Amino acid sequence: AMVGKYTGLSDSYLSVLKALLHASVAMGRKLVVEWVPSCDLEDSAAKETPEAHKKAWKLLKGAEGILVPGGFGDRGVQGKILAAKYARENNVPYLGICLGMQIAVIDFACSIMKLPGANSTEFDPDTMSPCVIFMPEGSKTHMGATMRLGSRRTYFHATACKSAKLYGNARFVDERHRHRYEVNPEMVPEFEKAGLSFVGKDESGRRMEIIELPSHKFFIGVQFHPEFKSRPGKPSPLFLGLIAAASGQLETLLQPSSNIVNPNPMPRFPIPKKTIYHAKKPLDSLVNGYFANGNVIHT
């Protein structure tokens, strides 16, 4: 289940869809994505649009995995929080990306820690429990060039966690970022005491990059965007983990002898450089080609 507020325009999540497809192919599974508008999950929708509300919850509860991608603004945020809560309480594999990680932290603060009014300052500037805050180096008056962008390094602080194993027990990973808000570092000790693990942090140790629930089948949130580095034949480890968990293959995938995750995959047959393949007709499917507009594919 893809839970977002732009589900009416699937191209808004094209990178995420591609990453899911790459992982599904690697795991030998057919990908079926159910689009769940986050607004339709909210309590207000039960009164205003009851049929849409019922349909959204039916789709969410019927899914074998839940993904909440990134986004901006407060519309549909409560629905995303409810989706994360459902995944956490029902042991459904969950991957939260950027905002998807932040709303998982908000849900944990509200549901588990019982913090009054826990929220992000992006949605409630006056919240009594600011578990997600505006980055200190950011500017609220200049909208241009104020985001934390590009490739940044994340260091693993727990070698036994699922995310570290998915990345091949690496000491650190470099992933691409695109955000202005982050988990409040002052509240991290409280979260960890309550059972939420911050297994990945930046070089300073104060910026939270990866969260996990150790007791959950698969519940991971990341501040970065792993979908941006996923490629055919070289899927993102975190997307691979989500698909594996959703299809009952996670334990096999995490075994040290598993050869599904190959950081440097080689093509089955050598392909000469500068070979050009011309598409015979426009490609309009995520499954049938890399580009949806029929452009040639260069290798």
Side-chain angles (χ1 to χ4, degrees):
M2 181 89 77
V3 182
K5 59 181 178 180
Y6 308 121
T7 53
L9 185 62
S10 61
D11 279 4
S12 299
Y13 302 113
L14 187 58
S15 297
V16 177
L17 278 170
K18 290 285 191 177
L20 285 169
L21 179 64
H22 301 158
S24 298
V25 170
M27 297 306 302
R29 294 293 183 270
K30 180 179 179 180
L31 176 67
V32 179
V33 174
E34 299 288 5
W35 297 96
V36 182
S38 57
C39 293
D40 291 345
L41 294 172
E42 298 177 356
D43 294 339
S44 58
K47 298 180 180 179
E48 298 169 4
T49 53
E51 289 301 319
H53 179 74
K54 182 179 180 180
K55 179 182 178 181
W57 274 104
K58 182 179 180 180
L59 290 175
L60 187 73
K61 292 180 178 180
E64 294 171 309
I66 296 173
L67 191 152
V68 176
F72 297 93
D74 59 356
R75 184 173 68 86
V77 164
Q78 289 303 315
K80 294 179 181 181
I81 292 175
L82 289 171
K85 181 179 181 179
Y86 175 81
R88 177 181 54 78
E89 292 181 339
N90 293 276
N91 205 30
V92 177
Y94 175 87
L95 177 61
I97 298 174
C98 199
L99 180 59
M101 166 182 157
Q102 295 173 6
I103 60 99
V105 171
I106 294 171
D107 164 58
F108 192 87
C110 293
S111 302
I112 302 300
M113 300 171 67
K114 308 298 182 183
L115 296 178
N119 210 334
S120 167
T121 56
E122 179 181 6
F123 313 128
D124 181 6
D126 301 318
T127 174
M128 295 173 60
S129 302
C131 48
V132 178
I133 61 172
F134 193 79
M135 293 188 303
E137 68 269 34
S139 171
K140 293 185 178 181
T141 57
H142 297 83
M143 293 305 291
T146 61
M147 301 181 75
R148 184 169 179 250
L149 293 169
S151 181
R152 307 292 176 121
R153 183 155 291 181
T154 294
Y155 291 88
F156 288 105
H157 286 244
T159 56
C161 65
K162 294 183 180 69
S163 52
K165 291 179 180 179
L166 288 168
Y167 277 102
N169 295 311
R171 189 170 66 89
F172 60 82
V173 293
D174 296 317
E175 292 280 11
R176 291 167 61 182
H177 291 67
R178 188 172 183 268
H179 66 107
R180 290 191 180 94
Y181 289 80
E182 64 179 357
V183 175
N184 186 349
E186 303 299 329
M187 296 183 66
V188 168
E190 298 178 56
F191 281 114
E192 292 184 323
K193 186 177 179 181
L196 184 63
S197 296
F198 293 87
V199 300
K201 303 178 183 179
D202 76 340
E203 64 279 357
S204 71
R206 286 185 57 81
R207 180 157 281 150
M208 304 303 113
E209 296 281 6
I210 307 175
I211 65 166
E212 283 192 26
L213 284 176
S215 60
H216 197 282
K217 180 190 298 183
F218 186 91
F219 194 99
I220 295 177
V222 293
Q223 186 59 73
F224 48 81
H225 288 264
E227 69 272 21
F228 290 157
K229 293 182 69 174
S230 180
R231 298 291 184 270
K234 190 179 179 181
S236 163
L238 295 175
F239 281 84
L240 205 60
L242 176 65
I243 294 298
S247 58
Q249 303 179 85
L250 184 60
E251 289 188 12
T252 302
L253 179 65
L254 295 181
Q255 293 298 320
S257 59
S258 174
N259 60 1
I260 297 176
V261 182
N262 186 349
N264 297 296
M266 296 298 292
R268 184 172 297 178
F269 302 103
I271 300 175
K273 292 184 178 181
K274 297 184 180 179
T275 299
I276 300 177
Y277 298 94
H278 294 275
K280 294 182 179 180
K281 60 181 180 179
L283 303 174
D284 58 2
S285 169
L286 283 173
V287 177
N288 292 333
Y290 304 142
F291 300 119
N293 57 8
N295 287 345
V296 296
I297 301 169
H298 299 267
T299 59

